Amino acid sequence: MGINWQPDHLGDGFALTELDLGADEEGPCVATLVSYTPPAVTEPRDLRTTARRMMHRLGLRPELPDPIQAVLYVHGWSDYFFQHELAHFFTERGIAFYALDLRKFGRSLRDWQTPGYVTDLSAYDDDINAALAALTADIEVRTGAPPSGISLMAHSTGALVASLWAHRFPGRVTALMLNSPWLDIQGSAILRTTTQGLLEPITRFRPKARLKLPEFGFYWRSISNQADGEWELNGLWRPQFGFPIRAGWLTAVLNGHGQVRRGLSIEVPILVLASARSTISPVWNEAMLSSDSVLDVTVMTQRALQLGPHVTVCRFDGALHDTLLSAGPVRQQVYTAIDRWIGCYGRPAQC
């Protein structure tokens, strides 16, 4: 399986390749796989930089140690992969890092597409399966053997997608890490039933109808370096108010939530990362700089226990919706928890 790797905009060590997914009703679709390989520490800095740039121009890839574990990261709604710090974290531990921009998001979004739009979350099965095939082939080329284990890590809506995928495809990954997974809608069962009832006729006749929902941009404010955050975001791929919410897409998400409520049977160990509290309000509150301003973490962590028999939940005081975009001291706690967890569950052969 030949892979055409190209340099990625994140810089030295990052590369991308497009994964052909065929076409849907809007036209051709691709997903984009991003990888990170750090410079070899034994080479002088100027030499390794020159060598890496030359390898990128030639489409070549550095060798990896053998055997090697791998991790595939999947982003959330109105998002894409930009967390270079996460890539460094895993590669420093000898774990090959890959990230996936799903169809119609980030690097995979095309002019003719409705951003983020699908009508069934199982559509992303093809994206994840293609990414796993590509990263396995890449590691085989560079080491002569497939990865000894693959962990799947995902955030928010991507974590819902990853959970449903892991349920449908048992045995494909060795561990699942979920960063603030969106596993249910806020509110009571009556609210959920009412919402789905109102959506049903719209979805049937106008699935791409834009729902007029409140747009506050508070989470963007907490993470963007153009506001109160510290992260540089691409405004087209991660807009301040998010992508428009379409009836068909929201119905797909609610159907996914229904599957979670009925209980999944994910057999691999699951790590759930979440903030210690939520601040959900129609007006700005400074507490949004140190809490989840998107989802109800109590509902989230309760639903997480229905994913499978082996779930570890870690909650962090001061964490944002994406715990790994929180203030430095908080995200260091998150990384410490991940490090401790993968020390056993992310490396099953060593336990």
Side-chain angles (χ1 to χ4, degrees):
M1 179 179 179
I3 302 177
N4 179 26
W5 291 102
Q6 300 293 328
D8 183 68
H9 74 271
L10 290 179
D12 191 32
F14 288 93
L16 65 82
T17 187
E18 291 184 357
L19 308 173
D20 184 6
L21 301 175
D24 65 6
E25 73 282 357
E26 293 187 327
C29 292
V30 299
T32 306
L33 186 66
V34 179
S35 74
Y36 175 68
T37 307
V41 296
T42 56
E43 298 174 359
R45 181 175 299 275
D46 57 344
L47 177 60
R48 70 176 182 245
T49 300
T50 301
R52 181 168 301 284
R53 289 173 179 167
M54 180 64 72
M55 294 183 79
H56 278 185
R57 284 198 295 271
L58 296 176
L60 302 176
R61 304 275 284 157
E63 291 185 359
L64 292 170
D66 182 23
I68 193 164
Q69 301 263 332
V71 62
L72 175 65
Y73 173 82
V74 181
H75 59 82
W77 172 248
S78 293
D79 211 348
Y80 67 102
F81 171 69
F82 61 90
Q83 295 90 334
H84 50 82
E85 188 177 80
L86 183 64
H88 297 158
F89 169 81
F90 280 108
T91 55
E92 286 169 0
R93 284 149 184 81
I95 300 172
F97 180 84
Y98 297 83
L100 178 63
D101 277 11
L102 297 166
R103 67 182 70 196
K104 304 183 185 182
F105 287 98
R107 299 163 178 82
S108 306
L109 180 60
R110 299 296 181 262
D111 292 341
W112 59 84
Q113 295 175 332
T114 304
Y117 182 74
V118 294
T119 56
D120 192 324
L121 298 185
S122 66
Y124 296 124
D125 290 354
D126 290 343
D127 303 50
I128 296 174
N129 289 334
L132 292 176
L135 74 85
T136 297
D138 185 49
I139 290 174
E140 285 182 328
V141 167
R142 297 161 72 188
T143 68
S148 55
I150 303 174
S151 298
L152 182 59
M153 184 176 194
H155 170 58
S156 197
T157 310
L160 172 62
V161 169
S163 298
L164 297 171
W165 176 90
H167 172 73
R168 287 191 292 266
F169 293 89
R172 296 289 304 278
V173 294
T174 53
L176 188 63
M177 291 175 274
L178 307 178
N179 180 2
S180 297
W182 189 19
L183 301 178
D184 206 347
I185 194 170
Q186 279 88 287
S188 65
I190 295 175
L191 176 61
R192 289 196 300 268
T193 302
T194 301
T195 301
Q196 288 183 300
L198 292 173
L199 275 175
E200 185 176 345
I202 302 175
T203 300
R204 183 181 303 135
F205 298 108
R206 298 177 56 221
K208 289 186 180 178
R210 180 173 179 173
L211 302 179
K212 296 181 179 180
L213 301 176
E215 299 175 340
F216 303 118
F218 296 153
Y219 177 57
W220 178 91
R221 176 174 172 176
S222 72
I223 63 174
S224 172
N225 64 2
Q226 297 181 41
D228 295 316
E230 61 178 279
W231 304 94
E232 183 177 353
L233 305 175
N234 182 311
L236 295 177
W237 297 348
R238 186 46 179 102
Q240 180 176 358
F241 298 109
F243 296 147
I245 302 297
R246 310 285 175 176
W249 175 84
L250 184 55
T251 297
V253 170
L254 294 177
N255 289 338
H257 290 165
Q259 294 178 61
V260 173
R261 285 195 301 275
R262 291 190 293 272
L264 304 185
S265 55
I266 302 171
E267 295 299 324
V268 299
I270 302 169
L271 173 64
V272 176
L273 307 166
S275 180
R277 66 187 188 280
S278 296
T279 305
I280 300 174
S281 169
V283 296
W284 172 256
N285 187 319
E286 289 296 316
M288 292 175 175
L289 297 175
S290 57
S291 59
D292 191 324
S293 61
V294 179
L295 297 179
D296 184 331
V297 294
T298 299
V299 172
M300 175 198 306
T301 51
Q302 289 172 346
R303 284 283 176 251
L305 301 180
Q306 296 177 255
L307 297 177
H310 195 154
V311 180
T312 303
V313 176
C314 296
R315 297 176 67 169
F316 304 91
D317 189 35
L320 299 177
H321 175 55
D322 186 333
T323 62
L324 292 172
L325 301 184
S326 306
V330 177
R331 68 177 185 269
Q332 184 56 54
Q333 295 176 35
V334 180
Y335 278 120
T336 298
I338 298 173
D339 198 19
R340 184 168 54 244
W341 190 84
I342 64 174
C344 183
Y345 299 123
R347 303 175 185 270
Q350 298 180 13
C351 292

